């Protein structure tokens, strides 16, 4: 019996997708299910041959050839993006979506782009995910099961996720979206949040997963946290300094330069660990925090500066750091 939930501790863009891809390969995961608001968050993984994979709807665990992927019923679905990713990644027969997912319509996207509060004040990606969710709450949104063109991909994802997680020889991997501190009902920064909660429990709810089946919550902590859009960012660097240090990042959806911090806020990490019940920590972007870690793949290569950060993160979260992300490549990982 094994169900692993992967969540972001802070404001997203921490490498959850890479963490999921790594776990999918290491654990030979049976099923990787996407949770979260919708297509308002992207993920990027660089394969060992240099191929860059970017996705907004499907989780990235399919990079393990034995892993199927799916979208949980609590996640909004953009039919065009879903079909494009299935085709682009060659996932016919391996990718599924719960028929109860609400559909993101073109009108939802247009409404968000025309909303100055969302586009300017909040800094939304304007993917239509929030407006679709609002229609879903009001019970007037269409669902995936209403679209004949998506019929080949429809599955009761909740039933399949629980079936897989309950089997002694299989593993379920749930991919959370965005970050804990962007949670609609839990962030201290409202209205600078997303349109849903982004905790482990929220991810389980999006998938319909029985909590008794969860064996681990892997919380991804970015060594130099980043944030897209408005809202507080403790220990923030200037955009110019991030560029000068060669650690600037840009959003998958918008192309905007991400705001970047010098280090994590350990009080916020402590709060995130409490909310998520973290059992393991994946410490990501270690090479940005200490360039000497770039591309390291063995525990003997961990630098004193990163070992010091590991100690601080473990003290703040009460959970062990078990993975280190050391570069852009999928194999630039260290298991501790």
């Amino acid at each position: 019996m094994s169900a692993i939930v992967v969540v972001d501790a802070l404001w997203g863009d921490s490498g959850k997708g890479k963490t999921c891809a790594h776990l999918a390969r290491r654990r030979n995961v049976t099923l990787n299910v996407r949770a979260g608001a919708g297509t308002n968050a992207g993920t990027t993984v660089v394969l060992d041959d240099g191929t860059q994979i970017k996705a907004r709807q499907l989780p990235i665990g399919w990079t393990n050839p034995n892993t199927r992927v799916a979208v949980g019923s609590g996640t909004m679905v953009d039919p065009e993006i879903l079909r494009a990713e299935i085709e682009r990644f060659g996932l016919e027969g391996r990718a599924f979506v719960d028929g109860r997912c609400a559909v993101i319509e073109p009108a939802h996207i247009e409404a968000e782009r025309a909303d100055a509060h969302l586009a300017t004040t909040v800094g939304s990606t304007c993917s239509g995910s929030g407006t679709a969710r609002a229609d879903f709450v009001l019970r007037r949104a269409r669902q995936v099961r209403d679209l004949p063109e998506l019929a080949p991909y429809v599955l009761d994802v909740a039933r399949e996720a629980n079936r897989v997680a309950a089997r002694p020889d299989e593993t379920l991997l749930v991919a959370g979206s965005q970050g804990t501190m962007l949670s609609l009902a839990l962030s201290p920064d409202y209205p600078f949040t997303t349109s849903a909660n982004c905790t482990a429990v929220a991810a389980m709810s999006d998938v319909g997963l029985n909590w008794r089946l969860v064996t681990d919550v892997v919380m991804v902590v970015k060594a130099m946290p980043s944030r897209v859009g408005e809202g507080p960012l403790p220990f923030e660097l200037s955009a110019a300094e991030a560029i000068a240090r060669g650690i600037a990042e840009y959003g998958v959806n918008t192309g905007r330069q991400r705001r970047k911090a010098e280090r994590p806020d350990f009080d916020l990490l402590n709060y995130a660990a409490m909310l998520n019940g973290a059992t393991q920590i994946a410490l990501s972007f270690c090479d940005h925090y200490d360039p000497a870690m770039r591309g390291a793949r063995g525990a003997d290569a961990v630098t004193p500066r990163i070992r010091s950060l590991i100690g601080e993160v473990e003290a703040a979260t009460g959970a062990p750091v078990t993975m280190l992300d050391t570069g852009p490549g999928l194999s630039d990982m260290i298991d501790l």
Side-chain angles (χ1 to χ4, degrees):
M1 182 182 78
S2 183
I4 304 169
V5 181
V6 176
V7 293
D8 181 297
L10 298 170
W11 301 281
D13 302 311
S14 63
K16 293 183 299 301
K18 180 178 177 179
T19 302
C20 285
H22 177 71
L23 286 169
R25 296 201 304 180
R26 194 180 82 190
R27 298 288 298 267
N28 196 27
V29 162
T30 303
L31 180 65
N32 181 198
V33 184
R34 167 78 146 73
T39 56
N40 52 344
T43 188
T44 303
V45 171
V46 179
L47 304 183
D48 294 335
D49 64 2
T51 301
Q52 188 178 71
I53 303 295
K54 292 187 176 184
R56 293 175 57 192
Q57 186 75 80
L58 292 170
I60 213 79
W62 59 263
T63 50
N64 177 54
N66 298 322
T67 301
R68 293 176 293 137
V69 294
V71 181
S73 63
T75 298
M76 308 298 103
V77 168
D78 185 316
E80 296 301 318
I81 294 176
L82 176 69
R83 288 186 295 178
E85 291 184 1
I86 291 172
E87 181 179 352
R88 185 163 73 250
F89 304 140
L91 295 177
E92 289 287 345
R94 290 179 61 197
F96 304 93
V97 59
D98 199 295
R100 294 164 291 195
C101 292
V103 174
I104 298 172
E105 311 273 5
H108 293 136
I109 300 171
E110 293 169 10
E112 291 190 2
R113 289 175 177 170
D115 188 321
H117 174 70
L118 288 176
T120 304
T121 304
V122 175
S124 169
T125 60
C126 297
S127 66
S129 301
T131 308
R133 182 174 294 277
D135 275 353
F136 196 27
V137 170
L138 294 171
R139 278 85 76 195
R140 60 191 180 200
R142 289 198 297 169
Q143 292 178 292
V144 162
R145 61 187 174 188
D146 299 324
L147 305 183
E149 65 270 28
L150 295 185
Y153 313 115
V154 170
L155 178 73
D156 185 335
V157 173
R159 184 179 296 278
E160 181 63 5
N162 282 281
R163 185 196 69 79
V164 168
R167 289 183 59 85
D169 56 343
E170 298 189 39
T171 300
L172 172 74
L173 181 62
V174 178
S177 178
Q178 298 175 279
T180 299
M181 291 302 151
L182 292 176
S183 293
L184 178 65
L186 293 168
S187 170
D189 302 335
Y190 182 89
F192 308 115
T193 68
T194 188
S195 55
N197 285 340
C198 308
T199 60
V201 171
M204 292 162 56
S205 177
D206 287 340
V207 171
L209 178 62
N210 183 329
W211 66 272
R212 293 177 184 271
L213 300 175
V214 175
T215 51
D216 273 296
V217 173
V218 177
M219 192 169 76
V220 185
V221 174
K222 196 171 188 177
M224 298 183 72
S226 60
R227 185 166 191 165
V228 173
E230 303 304 316
L233 178 61
F235 312 108
E236 184 170 3
L237 298 171
S238 70
E241 185 172 357
I243 292 171
R245 290 169 60 173
I247 56 174
E249 303 172 49
Y250 300 88
V252 175
N253 287 359
T254 65
R256 291 180 293 184
Q257 184 176 347
R258 293 172 183 151
R259 299 159 58 202
K260 204 166 178 76
E262 182 72 39
R263 67 167 180 84
D265 182 305
F266 296 114
D267 288 336
L268 287 180
L269 285 188
N270 177 268
Y271 194 69
M274 177 195 72
L275 292 176
N276 288 297
T279 63
Q280 298 181 43
I281 303 297
L283 186 60
S284 64
F285 287 78
C286 291
D287 56 316
H288 284 202
Y289 191 82
D290 185 350
M293 287 293 296
R294 181 82 171 188
R297 298 184 181 182
D300 57 348
V302 180
T303 63
R305 189 157 192 252
I306 291 299
R307 289 202 179 278
S308 177
L309 180 60
I310 288 171
E312 291 177 296
V313 169
E314 289 183 338
T317 62
V321 173
T322 59
M323 287 171 271
L324 301 177
D325 158 43
T326 64
L330 181 51
S331 293
D332 293 335
M333 294 285 286
I334 299 173
D335 292 308
L336 299 177

